Amino acid sequence: MKHLVIDNETSFKVVDGDIDPSPYHPDNVLVSVGYKLSGDEEQEGYLFFNHSSGISPETKAANRAKLQELIHKADVIVGHNLKFDLSWLVETGFEVPYDKTYWDTMLCEYVLARGQKPGMSLDDTLARYSLPLKDDGIAPYMKAKISFENIPVDIIEKYGRQDVSSTHLLYLAQLETIGAAENAGLRRVLKLSNDFMRALVTIEGDGIAIDRDELGRVGEQYIREKQELTDKINAIVKEVMGDTPVNIDSPEQLSEVIYSRKVLDKAAWAKTFNLGTDTRGSVVKRRKPKKLNARDFIDAVRAGTSVIHRSRASRCSDCGGRGFHDFVTKSGRPAKRPKKCKVCEGTGIVYTPTGIVAGLRCVPVSSAFVTASGFSTNADTLELLSATAPSGHARDFLTAIVRKNSVDTYLSNFINGITTATRQDGILHTQFMQAVTATGRLSSRKPNMQNMPREKTFPVRKAIISRWKRGKVMDVDFAQLEFRAAVAMANCRQGTEDILNKVDIHSITSKTLTDAGQPTDRQNAKSHTFKPLYGGMSGTEAEVTYYTAFLKRYEGIRSWQDNLQNSALKYGLIRTPSGREYKFDNVKRLANGNVTFSTQIKNYPVQGFATGDIVPAVLLLLFHQMRKAGLKSMIINTVHDSITIDVHPDEIEQVKALVSSNFDVTQYIEDYFGFKSCVPIVMEGKIGDNWMEGEKM
């Protein structure tokens, strides 16, 4: 078996202070490639393709031919963060066959980490294997953001050869590690990860077509909505705070508006509730807030905060509203700079308390609400408060600010993110990352398409279109994949019956919440339905009632979750049917019957098996079937439990038939993972002119 280790160096552009080494930037070039071919034929060397010192066309052509020959000779192609290297090779015209074996040393280390999060850089990984670290002579150039084509060739070559040598040693060490008996279950996951990586190279490279005009229209709608929400929020603040100026972007001031209380002494407050961080070596960890019983918590809040009152503004009588005082120096001359008025602190305005309690008077119910500057104003807390607030200013304000925060995110992450990342040809090449999440599910950046709201009415989706005139966008997703995966892993009898009988679980959620005193429709209930699958049990009284009822109904899932916790407690390890494993250190039994890390122990197998293993396996099957059929249509995205296809206008019926008739997903999962599911794993599809609007298939 011949294995080829490669490492690319490329030019990069600095955009808003951020380095962009993407192969899809029109001004970036492939600078050099280092290689080492091992096996029954040994070769190593360094090839330049572009450099400011000049590379002749003859040398460039010879180097291209040499590298292409090496790729064809190799049985295994190896690299650290190999997707980056392969993307560059494919984009610059090299043939990189799908039928090779690929080995990304970063992905191997990620799989071996078993859900832990050690550093994944080459240096970090080499250190864990006690392998020689690189002599990083390139660091000064990187610090100065000098692109590789402008770094001296001898320094680039030395750096590149060291990268290849280090990656080669790491590959050999990983072969031995993954070959050990205790890692046998991880080998299938590693192969799936590497095969998926090669497909992602093509998916990233093909990219997503963006309708810039539609994206602009959606952005304008959000800007108008943001202004309307801001005006509404400011009007409520004015009414409940009087003339007191408030910056709602300040967590401290927002806390005062919501809870009507102000911290008296932040140092004493932090001590009372054990707030802050601890440093252990190079690791900084946030302390866990001290838990107090209800009586002690109320007493601590009363002692550490004061009630705030509405104010009335008036001109400062001390400075006459000027904000400063003129004065003369000892020599009798007027001072160049006046003195700031201490009474109004330079504002010219004083705020006099009216005696009327200010703010919305929301009540923090436990130390979980406490923060260094008062009380929590994060997204989860605001959602919780808005769901429980009575009608009136509190509900109107909280609902508006929750929505404004969402709109801010949509503008920043999706409108601006997509606009910035889309290339001049109208194609967005989002970057998929396989070695970031603890669960094994995919993430992405520039922009993060994985965090796009799932709502079928999310208007940004209208801007994602086919690249072909009269082409279509097809979205194929798995029906209740994570619930079905959990039911299958738990072999839950009630879950199986509900799925086979097509029980509307979301309606049960809505009814349970409503009966418990939290009126909710089916759509809004969806966010709560499967929360217990992931270990979520906290919320309002009505929500906790529902979560408890869920686990009572699905006793098989609750029992399976208990078994997971027992396994983590006994062995420090849990495993999914794919062979993926999660490691948990120092697990302890808690007084409530759960164990430490219980949320992760319940969550990781569900997300990991469903979206970290099943979706990539099925995507690969579809990807290769489309490729073998010679289709122009292409997979352009995958988000958690969905696969998006840009369908060529001449292939619409062919792709529909391929997806609908050739996919017995349940049988395929059994064949691929050796796992027989007690419930069918099914896919649903829709197709239309854009990613939002489509007809069911």
Side-chain angles (χ1 to χ4, degrees):
M1 292 282 288
K2 300 186 182 96
H3 62 266
L4 174 67
V5 181
I6 59 171
D7 178 68
N8 298 354
E9 307 304 343
T10 73
S11 70
F12 57 78
K13 295 296 174 283
V14 179
V15 181
D16 296 330
D18 186 27
I19 288 176
D20 180 6
S22 168
Y24 313 112
H25 192 294
D27 298 327
N28 281 342
V29 294
L30 178 64
V31 175
S32 58
V33 178
Y35 68 87
K36 182 179 179 68
L37 181 69
S38 300
D40 57 6
E41 182 181 350
E42 301 282 342
Q43 293 185 48
E44 60 182 297
Y46 207 80
L47 307 171
F48 277 92
F49 298 92
N50 292 280
H51 195 270
S52 58
S53 63
I55 306 295
S56 71
E58 294 78 14
T59 298
K60 186 182 296 189
N63 287 348
R64 285 189 64 87
K66 176 66 176 177
L67 182 55
Q68 187 65 74
E69 178 190 9
L70 291 167
I71 292 170
H72 284 309
K73 280 184 177 181
D75 301 299
V76 184
I77 297 179
V78 181
H80 195 81
N81 190 18
L82 183 58
K83 181 164 68 67
F84 176 81
D85 300 300
L86 296 183
S87 295
W88 264 101
L89 294 181
V90 170
E91 189 65 14
T92 50
F94 288 92
E95 182 186 350
V96 185
Y98 293 101
D99 57 0
K100 299 285 183 184
T101 296
Y102 294 94
W103 187 292
D104 186 338
T105 52
M106 183 177 71
L107 285 181
C108 181
E109 197 63 14
Y110 173 73
V111 170
L112 286 167
R114 294 173 163 87
Q116 305 290 301
K117 288 192 172 183
M120 289 293 165
S121 71
L122 182 55
D123 280 345
D124 287 338
T125 310
L126 291 171
R128 283 193 292 276
Y129 285 81
S130 300
L131 293 172
L133 300 179
K134 301 176 295 178
D135 176 16
D136 201 355
I138 213 84
Y141 297 93
M142 292 292 97
K143 186 176 181 180
K145 296 183 179 178
I146 296 174
S147 186
F148 272 94
E149 79 274 24
N150 295 318
I151 299 173
V153 292
D154 57 331
I155 293 176
I156 295 176
E157 181 166 349
K158 180 182 178 182
Y159 175 76
R161 284 180 179 271
Q162 286 179 336
D163 256 357
V164 170
S165 176
S166 297
T167 304
H168 178 246
L169 292 174
L170 177 58
Y171 167 63
L172 297 178
Q174 287 181 339
L175 277 176
E176 184 176 347
T177 301
I178 203 74
E182 65 267 22
N183 294 322
L186 299 177
R187 294 170 201 158
R188 179 168 48 199
V189 178
L190 177 59
K191 183 180 186 308
L192 171 61
S193 299
N194 279 309
D195 291 346
F196 188 38
M197 178 270 297
R198 178 60 189 91
L200 287 174
V201 170
T202 300
I203 294 170
E204 269 187 20
D206 289 338
I208 302 168
I210 301 298
D211 183 339
R212 293 177 185 272
D213 292 338
E214 182 62 37
L215 189 65
R217 285 191 287 272
V218 174
E220 290 172 359
Q221 292 171 10
Y222 279 137
I223 290 171
R224 287 195 297 271
E225 183 182 3
K226 178 181 177 179
Q227 187 57 56
E228 291 169 1
L229 290 165
T230 300
D231 292 343
K232 181 176 183 179
I233 290 166
N234 288 338
I236 295 173
V237 168
K238 172 69 175 174
E239 187 162 347
V240 301
M241 298 297 289
D243 293 333
T244 304
V246 174
N247 175 12
I248 60 170
D249 293 325
S250 163
E252 181 175 355
Q253 294 183 38
L254 182 57
S255 171
E256 293 172 5
V257 172
I258 293 173
Y259 301 97
S260 302
R261 303 190 79 92
K262 180 180 180 67
V263 174
L264 297 172
D265 183 328
K266 290 183 180 179
W269 181 255
K271 186 176 181 180
T272 298
F273 291 101
N274 191 40
L275 305 176
T277 59
D278 292 319
T279 302
R280 300 173 187 173
S282 60
V283 179
V284 178
K285 288 192 173 183
R286 188 179 297 277
R287 297 174 190 159
K288 290 186 177 180
K290 182 189 290 185
K291 291 184 178 180
L292 303 176
N293 62 42
R295 182 70 262 168
D296 289 343
F297 175 70
I298 292 171
D299 290 343
V301 168
R302 287 176 175 171
T305 63
S306 63
V307 175
I308 60 173
H309 296 89
R310 299 182 194 180
S311 68
R312 182 170 54 251
S314 60
R315 186 167 61 179
C316 177
S317 59
D318 194 66
C319 66
R322 300 168 68 201
F324 59 88
H325 295 282
D326 295 323
F327 73 101
V328 294
T329 63
K330 291 181 180 179
S331 64
R333 295 180 179 178
K336 292 182 179 179
R337 294 182 179 178
K339 279 187 175 181
K340 184 171 74 172
C341 177
K342 294 182 179 180
V343 174
C344 65
E345 297 184 340
T347 64
I349 301 171
V350 292
Y351 298 92
T352 306
T354 62
I356 302 172
V357 176
L360 303 172
R361 306 188 191 189
C362 293
V363 179
V365 295
S366 74
S367 53
F369 278 70
V370 175
T371 66
S373 57
F375 302 100
S376 176
T377 59
N378 64 27
D380 289 342
T381 302
L382 294 176
E383 290 272 11
L384 175 63
L385 292 173
S386 66
T388 57
S391 58
H393 285 323
R395 173 167 289 185
D396 291 345
F397 178 87
L398 291 164
T399 302
I401 204 159
V402 166
R403 177 59 184 173
K404 177 183 173 295
N405 289 344
S406 296
V407 171
D408 282 337
T409 299
Y410 300 158
L411 284 168
S412 174
N413 290 7
F414 300 118
I415 302 300
N416 296 337
I418 293 174
T419 300
T420 301
T422 300
R423 303 297 175 182
Q424 293 178 352
D425 60 0
I427 300 296
L428 170 69
H429 302 276
T430 189
Q431 297 178 22
F432 295 104
M433 298 174 291
Q434 295 172 267
V436 172
T437 67
T439 60
R441 73 163 33 174
L442 200 64
S443 61
S444 66
R445 64 181 180 181
K446 295 187 177 180
N448 184 355
M449 301 294 282
Q450 308 298 307
N451 278 353
M452 184 174 285
R454 300 170 66 93
E455 291 89 351
K456 293 179 174 59
T457 56
F458 185 57
V460 174
R461 290 173 177 259
K462 287 182 67 176
I464 295 173
I465 58 173
S466 174
R467 71 200 62 217
W468 294 292
K469 187 177 181 180
R470 301 189 312 280
K472 300 290 183 181
V473 177
M474 179 184 294
D475 199 49
V476 181
D477 63 14
F478 295 78
Q480 299 177 335
L481 177 60
E482 292 180 343
F483 179 56
R484 290 175 185 244
V487 168
M489 287 188 284
N491 197 22
C492 176
R493 180 186 58 79
Q494 185 64 55
T496 303
E497 290 181 5
D498 284 356
I499 290 169
L500 294 178
N501 294 328
K502 299 183 180 179
V503 171
D504 186 348
I505 302 172
H506 300 306
S507 292
I508 294 176
T509 311
S510 174
K511 184 178 187 308
T512 305
L513 288 170
T514 300
D515 290 348
Q518 187 172 312
T520 309
D521 60 24
R522 183 182 181 280
Q523 182 62 36
N524 289 322
K526 285 184 175 182
S527 62
H528 299 288
T529 297
F530 298 126
K531 187 175 175 181
L533 282 184
Y534 315 111
M537 293 297 293
S538 62
T540 65
E541 185 175 342
E543 288 163 3
V544 172
T545 298
Y546 166 72
Y547 302 148
T548 303
F550 178 95
L551 292 180
K552 185 176 181 180
R553 180 181 182 89
Y554 300 115
E555 172 66 22
I557 289 176
R558 188 200 60 76
S559 179
W560 172 66
Q561 290 180 338
D562 288 344
N563 291 336
L564 288 173
Q565 293 189 88
N566 291 335
S567 177
L569 183 65
K570 186 174 181 179
Y571 304 109
L573 195 72
I574 58 177
R575 183 179 291 112
T576 71
S578 68
R580 190 182 295 275
E581 296 177 353
Y582 301 104
K583 180 182 178 184
F584 294 93
D585 294 324
N586 303 315
V587 179
K588 298 176 182 178
R589 181 71 69 182
L590 300 175
N592 63 4
N594 282 326
V595 301
T596 49
F597 312 110
S598 64
T599 301
Q600 295 93 324
I601 290 167
K602 297 170 186 176
N603 175 25
Y604 287 5
V606 177
Q607 288 193 0
F609 185 48
T611 56
D613 297 322
I614 292 176
V615 172
V618 173
L619 183 149
L620 280 171
L621 176 62
L622 176 59
F623 178 85
H624 288 300
Q625 285 186 339
M626 291 173 61
R627 186 176 60 84
K628 288 175 184 176
L631 300 183
K632 297 175 185 175
S633 302
M634 55 187 68
I635 295 175
I636 57 170
N637 195 20
T638 173
V639 179
H640 301 327
D641 59 359
S642 70
I643 299 168
T644 310
I645 306 170
D646 187 349
V647 184
H648 190 277
D650 297 336
E651 299 170 352
I652 293 173
E653 295 307 318
Q654 192 174 355
V655 175
K656 279 184 178 180
L658 180 68
V659 171
S660 62
S661 63
N662 285 8
F663 273 87
D664 183 345
V665 180
T666 313
Q667 184 62 50
Y668 180 65
I669 291 168
E670 182 177 349
D671 295 341
Y672 195 100
F673 296 114
F675 173 72
K676 188 173 181 62
S677 173
C678 59
V679 293
I681 307 297
V682 298
M683 299 191 339
E684 302 172 337
K686 66 174 185 176
I687 188 168
D689 293 331
N690 57 64
W691 198 24
M692 188 184 89
E693 300 168 328
E695 297 179 357
K696 284 187 177 182
M697 290 162 45

